[in-house]
Amino acid sequence: MRGPQIAVNNSGVIITACTTKGNIFSYYKDKENWKQGTRVNDVDTIAKEGLMALSADGENAFAVWLDIRGNKRNKIYGAKSNDGGKTWSENTMIYTSPDSSVCQCCKPSVTVKNNQVYIMFRNWLHGNRDLYLIQSDNNGTSFEPAQKLGINSWKINSCPMDGGGLAINENGKVQTVWRREGNILTAVTGVPEIQIGKGRSCAIAPVNNQNNYAWTDNQKVICMKAGGQKKVIGTGSLPVLKALDNEHVICVWENEKQIHAAVVDL
């Protein structure tokens, strides 16, 4: 999931993309033409992993990424834009692991709704590679302390390369889905995790305050509706799931260097 990221707000479509040197640039659509915004990272060549996320709502947009500035160890950094991706704020250090680094090859997630910003990332703390959630209620100006998701932990001396999925439902409540070992789990902060399947590379899309999920298992793309019904919708990996309306979600995934999509009736 090192590719470009896309989001939409009142100003239009915003894209962020990272160069091989570790610089993130934004692009925005002005009527019918694409234009380049400013560089998102305010210190040169610090996004070496190219792992980043982007979300937007209303007039707000927020980007997060893995950042090695200062000590060459990955941290969670972010920046906001209030002009449709044309310019970006001074970068904010959102989280630094007291052990050494956050997980080096797991993509962070971000979702924005009104002035709420939620960021999910895989930490590396005491040998455990667990998912953590950070919240801002002021459009990313400041963030509350990171909270671990789930009760149990995953002690592993390598990177799972699997960041999980994050969304905010219609009631403004954050929803998460992620992998631990070979299990697909869903949880909110302070509540034990619930296993919903087996596999990896999971995504989430709330519709009518009910969660729909997608993930892969043995190269099969699985979609699970809010009622628990599971369906294999294709072959491939790295699914992305989004709501189309109150009765449909769309799942997009990759297979043999081609992009596939399916609309699922809820």
Side-chain angles (χ1 to χ4, degrees):
M1 300 292 283
R2 283 184 168 88
Q5 305 295 300
I6 188 168
V8 178
N9 68 359
N10 290 347
S11 298
V13 184
I14 307 168
I15 288 176
T16 56
C18 191
T19 68
T20 56
K21 293 183 178 180
N23 286 314
I24 302 169
F25 292 93
S26 66
Y27 302 84
Y28 62 95
K29 196 169 187 180
D30 182 9
K31 295 183 179 179
E32 298 300 322
N33 299 314
W34 284 99
K35 295 184 178 180
Q36 183 172 323
T38 57
R39 192 178 72 182
V40 180
N41 50 295
D42 57 13
V43 174
D44 192 38
T45 61
I46 43 69
K48 295 293 188 181
E49 291 290 343
L51 290 165
M52 56 184 180
L54 175 69
S55 182
D57 185 55
E59 298 299 328
N60 304 320
F62 204 91
V64 298
W65 61 91
L66 299 188
D67 191 300
I68 62 167
R69 72 183 71 190
N71 60 2
K72 304 298 182 182
R73 295 175 177 176
N74 282 294
K75 299 164 281 292
I76 304 297
Y77 263 76
K80 58 184 175 180
S81 175
N82 297 320
D83 58 9
K86 299 180 180 68
T87 61
W88 295 83
S89 68
E90 179 181 354
N91 296 175
T92 300
M93 194 284 291
I94 297 168
Y95 182 85
T96 297
S97 173
D99 253 10
S100 59
S101 168
V102 298
C103 202
Q104 308 96 320
C105 298
C106 285
K107 178 183 177 294
S109 301
V110 61
T111 187
V112 175
K113 187 170 185 178
N114 299 321
N115 288 323
Q116 290 180 297
V117 180
Y118 285 94
I119 296 168
M120 186 175 72
F121 65 97
R122 193 178 291 276
N123 208 350
W124 185 16
L125 197 59
H126 310 306
N128 296 317
R129 309 267 183 160
D130 299 322
L131 275 297
Y132 279 69
L133 187 71
I134 294 182
Q135 175 182 354
S136 170
D137 292 324
N138 54 16
N139 192 30
T141 300
S142 61
F143 287 87
E144 298 179 5
Q147 300 182 66
K148 179 179 175 294
L149 290 166
I151 303 301
N152 296 317
S153 291
W154 188 6
K155 191 174 289 292
I156 178 174
N157 192 26
S158 62
C159 182
M161 301 183 71
D162 204 339
L166 176 67
I168 301 176
N169 67 18
E170 294 173 9
N171 289 337
K173 303 297 183 181
V174 66
Q175 310 292 309
T176 74
V177 63
W178 35 275
R179 168 186 166 225
R180 185 175 62 226
E181 299 177 328
N183 301 316
I184 304 298
L185 306 165
T186 181
V188 296
T189 55
V191 176
E193 60 271 48
I194 299 171
Q195 181 177 338
I196 59 173
K198 296 278 190 178
R200 60 176 298 130
S201 301
C202 41
I204 183 172
V207 178
N208 294 324
N209 287 319
Q210 294 184 309
N211 294 333
N212 304 276
Y213 304 95
W215 65 85
T216 59
D217 185 17
N218 293 321
Q219 289 297 302
K220 299 299 183 183
V221 180
I222 299 168
C223 183
M224 183 176 119
K225 300 180 185 180
Q229 180 185 358
K230 298 176 184 177
K231 180 181 180 181
V232 175
I233 59 173
T235 300
S237 60
L238 304 173
V240 176
L241 193 67
K242 298 293 180 182
L244 287 179
D245 52 37
N246 289 335
E247 298 178 352
H248 305 87
V249 293
I250 184 169
C251 186
V252 180
W253 67 92
E254 178 186 355
N255 186 41
E256 296 182 350
K257 298 184 179 181
Q258 293 186 333
I259 303 300
H260 299 261
V263 175
V264 179
D265 296 330
L266 301 180

